[in-house]
């Protein structure tokens, strides 16, 4: 009973930590320190920003911008939210140019092909597809009363982009009747050039733009959600741990009372108080470790590799976007679970061990 109770605590704690860590990693790994994200001043997120075409031309002339394939590595992008069946929250459609694909070498097409310029075509992230199986190659979606056809599926290492749909940027802008981009992703010559690039951008007269290191931007996006996810995991785990501790305490009291004459016999033949207490604590800790292993194994079998759909909070005024996560149960989560289990086992056995060790030998040997 003690092992099963502690196993349930570890199961919930390990699963909660895996969810919180997967959420944090999915968002943080989206950004890279050698790329800059250019937004309108005052915009908290990309979806609330707007950049004119003239601003994009100015970005291309700035120093410290890298070149790829002989072209300036600047990708102006537009974002729009759409609703999908069986998907919580709004799914982000990102309109990119050919350079947008070049700036994301980890983005690989795993089914179908890339979108073609000038056509109403979409690519869907693998995580979105696993969350909404109906979104397959050949399916059609309606975006702002315009019919779009899905022509490919892509993967990007499980980052936040894999929870998005991709389209040709100029075609998407025409389809939604928009004349401005949302943001621009800039590949820098070096990660050390960010400060100089930011100063050069701020020096452009009349441009109301700001630059953020892409890794810092996504770090900020993950901060609130990851903190909340970890708090929930530890709060729920603590509540369950308190219940398990009370259960272990009652169960251990029953065990030591039932074995009072055995303990008294050991004391009568020379075993001291400390060895008796240590034996009770060791037995309870061993049961806790067994329960922790069972709980961690169950969490790994049930949760590891599974898909979890969430709504990503992006800040005041922004819509909560859909974010699909792949849960990964890591060794560090199991270590935390075992540590909690040992603490529950020790606390639950401390008072009973003290009681049985201090009970008089004559009273313990007394036959009822």
């Amino acid at each position: 009973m003690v092992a099963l109770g502690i196993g349930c605590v570890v199961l919930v704690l390990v699963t909660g930590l895996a969810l919180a860590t997967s959420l944090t990693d999915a968002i943080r790994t989206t950004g890279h320190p050698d790329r800059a994200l250019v937004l309108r001043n005052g915009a908290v997120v990309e979806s609330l920003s707007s950049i004119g075409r003239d601003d994009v031309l100015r970005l291309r002339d700035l120093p410290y911008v890298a070149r790829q394939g002989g072209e300036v590595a600047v990708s102006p992008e537009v974002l729009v939210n759409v609703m999908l069946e069986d998907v919580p929250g709004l799914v982000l459609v990102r309109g990119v140019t050919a350079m947008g694909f070049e700036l994301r070498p980890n983005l690989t097409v795993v089914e179908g092909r890339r979108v073609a310029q000038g056509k109403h075509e979409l690519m869907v992230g693998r995580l979105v597809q696993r969350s909404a199986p109906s979104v397959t190659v050949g399916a059609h979606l309606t975006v702002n009363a315009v019919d779009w056809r899905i022509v490919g599926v892509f993967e990007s290492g499980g980052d936040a982009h894999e929870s998005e749909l991709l389209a040709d940027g100029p075609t998407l802008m025409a389809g939604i009747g928009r004349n401005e981009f949302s943001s621009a992703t800039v590949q820098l010559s070096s990660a050390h050039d960010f400060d100089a690039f930011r100063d050069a951008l701020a020096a452009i007269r009349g441009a109301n733009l700001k630059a953020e290191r892409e890794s810092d931007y996504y770090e900020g996006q993950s901060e609130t959600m990851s903190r909340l996810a970890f708090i929930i995991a530890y709060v729920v785990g603590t509540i369950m741990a308190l219940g398990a501790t009370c259960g272990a305490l009652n169960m251990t009291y029953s065990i030591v009372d039932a074995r009072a004459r055995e303990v008294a016999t050991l004391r009568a033949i020379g075993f001291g108080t400390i060895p008796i207490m240590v034996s009770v604590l060791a037995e309870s800790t061993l049961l806790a470790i067994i329960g922790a292993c069972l709980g961690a194994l169950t969490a790994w079998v049930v949760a590891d590799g599974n898909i979890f759909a969430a709504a990503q909070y992006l800040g005041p005024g922004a819509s909560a976007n859909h974010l699909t996560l792949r849960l990964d149960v890591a060794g560090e989560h199991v270590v935390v679970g075992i540590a909690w289990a040992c603490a529950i086992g020790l606390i639950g056995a401390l008072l009973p061990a003290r009681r049985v060790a201090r009970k008089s030998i004559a009273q313990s040997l007394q036959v009822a």
Side-chain angles (χ1 to χ4, degrees):
M1 292 294 294
V2 171
L4 288 176
I6 293 177
C8 291
V9 175
V10 174
L11 168 63
V12 173
L13 180 63
V14 170
T15 303
L17 292 177
L19 173 60
T21 303
S22 299
L23 173 65
T24 304
D25 292 344
I27 301 177
R28 286 181 177 175
T29 55
T30 307
H32 294 264
D34 59 348
R35 293 203 296 250
L37 188 65
V38 179
L39 306 171
R40 178 70 58 183
N41 267 328
V44 181
V45 293
E46 289 182 273
S47 58
L48 298 179
S49 175
S50 61
I51 298 179
R53 298 177 185 271
D54 292 339
D55 295 328
V56 175
L57 295 176
R58 293 174 179 176
L59 290 177
R60 297 180 185 276
D61 295 331
L62 289 179
Y64 312 107
V65 178
R67 288 182 174 270
Q68 292 192 5
E71 297 184 9
V72 180
V74 175
S75 173
E77 300 175 356
V78 60
L79 285 77
V80 62
N81 291 311
V82 298
M83 291 290 296
L84 296 181
E85 295 182 3
D86 303 326
V87 174
L90 298 170
V91 179
L92 202 64
V93 179
R94 182 181 296 271
V96 299
T97 60
M99 182 56 67
F101 289 98
E102 297 297 328
L103 294 186
R104 299 176 176 94
N106 63 321
L107 193 152
T108 57
V109 180
V110 294
E111 185 179 347
R113 58 174 176 82
R114 283 187 183 182
V115 296
Q117 295 182 2
K119 294 186 177 181
H120 296 110
E121 296 178 345
L122 295 170
M123 291 177 62
V124 59
R126 175 65 82 186
L127 291 178
V128 176
Q129 189 186 47
R130 294 184 65 178
S131 175
S134 59
V135 185
T136 58
V137 174
H140 291 260
L141 295 177
T142 300
V143 180
N144 199 34
V146 177
D147 182 71
W148 294 72
R149 180 172 176 266
I150 298 176
V151 297
V153 180
F154 70 90
E155 292 181 353
S156 54
D159 63 10
H161 289 318
E162 204 169 317
S163 296
E164 301 175 350
L165 283 79
L166 298 181
D168 177 57
T171 307
L172 181 61
M173 292 176 67
I176 62 176
R178 182 169 176 175
N179 294 320
E180 293 184 328
F181 296 98
S182 299
S183 63
T185 302
V186 180
Q187 178 68 54
L188 303 176
S189 301
S190 169
H192 302 291
D193 293 332
F194 173 75
D195 292 335
F197 172 80
R198 182 181 55 191
D199 294 340
L201 178 65
I204 299 178
R205 184 172 300 177
N208 189 25
L209 303 175
K210 66 175 182 179
E212 293 188 37
R213 196 185 295 272
E214 192 182 48
S215 55
D216 293 341
Y217 172 81
Y218 284 102
E219 179 86 16
Q221 295 297 314
S222 69
E223 185 175 354
T224 301
M225 291 188 65
S226 61
R227 185 188 298 118
L228 179 62
F230 277 110
I231 289 175
I232 292 175
Y234 281 115
V235 167
V236 174
T238 300
I239 294 173
M240 294 190 65
L242 290 175
T245 302
C246 293
L249 184 66
N250 291 331
M251 192 64 64
T252 308
Y253 267 126
S254 300
I255 292 173
V256 296
D257 286 343
R259 297 167 62 185
R261 288 202 296 178
E262 297 177 30
V263 175
T265 302
L266 291 174
R267 293 179 60 193
I269 62 177
F271 284 93
T273 300
I274 294 180
I276 297 297
M277 292 184 64
V278 169
S279 67
V280 175
L281 293 175
E283 182 177 347
S284 179
T285 303
L286 179 60
L287 289 174
I289 293 176
I290 294 174
C293 293
L294 290 175
L297 179 62
T298 304
W300 181 78
V301 171
V302 173
D304 189 67
N306 283 353
I307 296 299
F308 181 84
Q312 180 188 3
Y313 175 71
L314 297 177
S319 302
N321 288 337
H322 168 80
L323 184 65
T324 306
L325 309 172
R326 182 186 182 277
L327 297 186
D328 291 315
V329 178
E332 59 189 32
H333 306 143
V334 176
V335 171
V336 173
I338 293 177
W340 276 50
C342 291
I344 294 172
L346 287 173
I347 295 173
L350 188 59
L351 292 178
R354 182 172 177 270
R355 173 179 171 177
V356 72
R358 297 183 62 181
K359 196 173 184 179
S360 68
I361 299 176
Q363 185 180 3
S364 299
L365 293 174
Q366 198 172 31
V367 179

